[in-house]
Amino acid sequence: MEIYEMTALQVAEKIRNKEITAVDAVESVAKAVEEKDKTYNCYASFDVDSATQQAKRVQAKIDNGESVSPLAGVPVGIKDNICEKGKLTSCSSKILYNFKPPYNATVINKLLAADMIPLGKLNMDEFAMGSTTETSYYGATKNPWDINRVPGGSSGGAAASVAADESVVALGSDTGGSIRQPCSFCGVTGLKPTYGAVSRYGLIAYASSLDQIGPIGKDVLDVAAVFNVIKGRDEKDGTSMVSQEFSLDEIKADNIKGMKIGIPVDFFGDGINGDVADRVKQAAQTLVSLGATVEEFTMPIVKYAIPTYYIIACAEACSNLSRFDGIKYGYKADGAFNLHDVYFKSRSEGFGMEVKKRIMLGNFVLSSGYFDAYYKKALQAKGLICKAFNEAFEKYDFLLGPVAPTTALKIGEGLSDPLAMYLGDIYTVMINIAGLPSLALPCGFDSENMPVGMQLIGKPFEEKTILTAGFAFQNATDYHTKKPNLV
């Protein structure tokens, strides 16, 4: 087995046992990227020299017998909206084509403190706006299971890189499903943590009340291990909080016997693919065989999820993206001779069409005369969505449902029918609105051999519960071990 095919914990163990070095791990992944990325386009930028220097520093600590973390020496890919000092961080947008932050995001500092090795920036939908990774300035990322299909988005580069063995593990961000949906499409595992469990300092914002950084890996244990590295209170992020402590041994030792799982029947209405529905229901039966009980219940508020999400997200986006104006950094249009022209031309030329649509929608719902009719009502609906989840968690330990109503779309399908693309987020956006943790993991394949994903939705700051259930499921099945036939 090549190093790049291993899980993060396997790589770290071999480095600790001195069977391989941290430099070997970096070189192995770099080789995979060189051979495969022309096909899959997972990376926006890749810095092998910097990664090799970091690997040498980590290896020196190991050779000197210094104490290192359980993930020391593990290479990690970083989504292109997470700041790294002196490294290109463009949100896969023309308007930030040359932006190199003067500081690290908190999660980057935590990775470095854990002796992990950032490799490069992973492709994404521009400013995380999209569900297909087709809106990127660098071109579309391809799904490793079928290069004629999308990997999902906006963290499509991160999920595809793990599926294609171009990353051992990766960091993505999730605003309305941007970790979970690409994990579902690419057959890998990803965690959207509770809002506030991981610092957002240094994450270039899309919608500040919804964004959350999380890990993507080959299995639940990798995801849990990386989450333990990046979580926690940060004085630079006033919304961050102390999370529940747990060890990987606890995840492996605990079982789900006696747990009560709720399945919202509203997740299985019109629009869901039959194969997706069947695979998720079969996964529920697997959990029953492991000792859990499953019960269906109604959650009618689901039908308001999409309009609520897009009103709130676009309203926050138009505010967050107003700073990109061609003045201080990033793209500045030629032939602009006054302030109005600089703003107008730079933003017109620098932003892609999907970003412009969402900025315009955000300004519309916040405008005088429409604020009460749209934005205020969306906030009221948010309260009802939170209430619905609170009531569900009075009865159930966690909830189970599909990640997306379909498997991976063909390239071009989502962009040609934006409304259908937005509706594809129906099962994921509610979790961001309510600020809950959710674990996406593969639970089977459809009739065309494309991965199907399910999600386990937990109570606030109870990531341990869903990670334990996810580990139990993966311990009883082998879907997460299946690999695409890479080109």
Side-chain angles (χ1 to χ4, degrees), residues 282-293:
Q282 288 170 9
Q285 291 309 306
T286 299
L287 294 172
V288 169
S289 72
L290 296 172
T293 58

Side-chain angles (χ1 to χ4, degrees), residues 80-134:
D80 194 27
N81 59 350
I82 299 172
C83 289
E84 279 188 84
K85 185 176 181 180
K87 304 286 182 66
L88 182 66
T89 306
S90 69
C91 290
S92 296
S93 176
K94 180 178 179 179
I95 207 161
L96 286 177
Y97 77 104
N98 64 352
F99 177 57
K100 294 181 179 180
Y103 64 96
N104 280 333
T106 295
V107 291
I108 298 297
N109 285 332
K110 290 194 171 193
L111 293 178
L112 294 173
D115 300 306
M116 297 182 74
I117 303 167
L119 284 173
K121 291 306 176 66
L122 294 161
N123 201 15
M124 58 182 279
D125 280 301
E126 184 183 8
F127 281 100
M129 297 182 189
S131 304
T132 63
T133 315
E134 291 176 282

Side-chain angles (χ1 to χ4, degrees), residues 333-473:
D334 293 330
F337 302 109
N338 57 55
L339 191 61
H340 176 271
D341 285 351
V342 169
Y343 288 167
F344 182 81
K345 290 188 176 182
S346 299
R347 289 169 66 82
S348 295
E349 296 173 13
F351 288 133
M353 187 54 66
E354 186 63 32
V355 174
K356 292 175 188 175
K357 286 179 188 175
R358 299 192 191 200
I359 290 172
M360 291 171 68
L361 177 58
N363 279 300
F364 174 75
V365 300
L366 292 176
S367 62
S368 177
Y370 296 99
F371 182 92
D372 288 347
Y374 293 101
Y375 187 67
K376 184 177 178 181
K377 278 190 170 57
L379 294 181
Q380 292 169 336
K382 175 179 179 177
L384 294 174
I385 289 169
C386 293
K387 181 183 177 184
F389 276 113
N390 290 338
E391 290 173 351
F393 286 129
E394 290 175 1
K395 301 177 184 177
Y396 307 111
D397 294 296
F398 63 90
L399 309 182
L400 183 150
V403 174
T406 66
T407 51
L409 304 174
K410 294 284 181 66
I411 289 174
E413 282 183 349
L415 294 183
S416 64
D417 189 354
L419 184 57
M421 182 175 73
Y422 298 163
L423 290 172
D425 298 333
I426 189 167
Y427 306 134
T428 54
V429 294
M430 290 177 66
I431 286 82
N432 297 77
I433 292 169
L436 302 172
S438 179
L439 177 71
L441 60 165
C443 64
F445 297 86
D446 70 4
S447 59
E448 297 182 305
N449 200 40
M450 294 302 295
V452 174
M454 68 174 181
Q455 61 176 331
L456 311 180
I457 306 162
K459 300 174 184 177
F461 297 101
E462 290 196 14
E463 282 83 0
K464 178 186 173 184
T465 300
I466 55 176
L467 289 166
T468 297
F471 174 77
F473 179 81

Side-chain angles (χ1 to χ4, degrees), residues 193-274:
T194 307
Y195 184 78
V198 177
S199 172
R200 291 181 298 109
Y201 179 76
L203 173 68
I204 298 176
Y206 166 13
S208 304
S209 73
L210 305 170
D211 298 338
Q212 189 65 104
I213 297 171
I216 295 174
K218 294 173 182 173
D219 62 22
V220 167
L221 289 181
D222 273 8
V223 165
V226 176
F227 175 62
N228 267 341
V229 168
I230 63 174
K231 68 183 175 69
R233 176 84 175 90
D234 177 20
E235 64 180 15
K236 295 176 181 175
D237 176 5
T239 64
S240 65
M241 299 176 70
V242 175
S243 297
Q244 182 185 33
E245 293 296 325
F246 62 84
S247 68
L248 296 189
D249 287 339
E250 289 177 281
I251 297 293
K252 291 187 281 189
D254 286 352
N255 59 55
I256 62 170
K257 205 167 284 184
M259 284 190 183
K260 195 169 184 182
I261 305 168
I263 299 181
V265 295
D266 310 84
F267 282 8
F268 294 89
D270 295 339
I272 189 169
N273 176 281

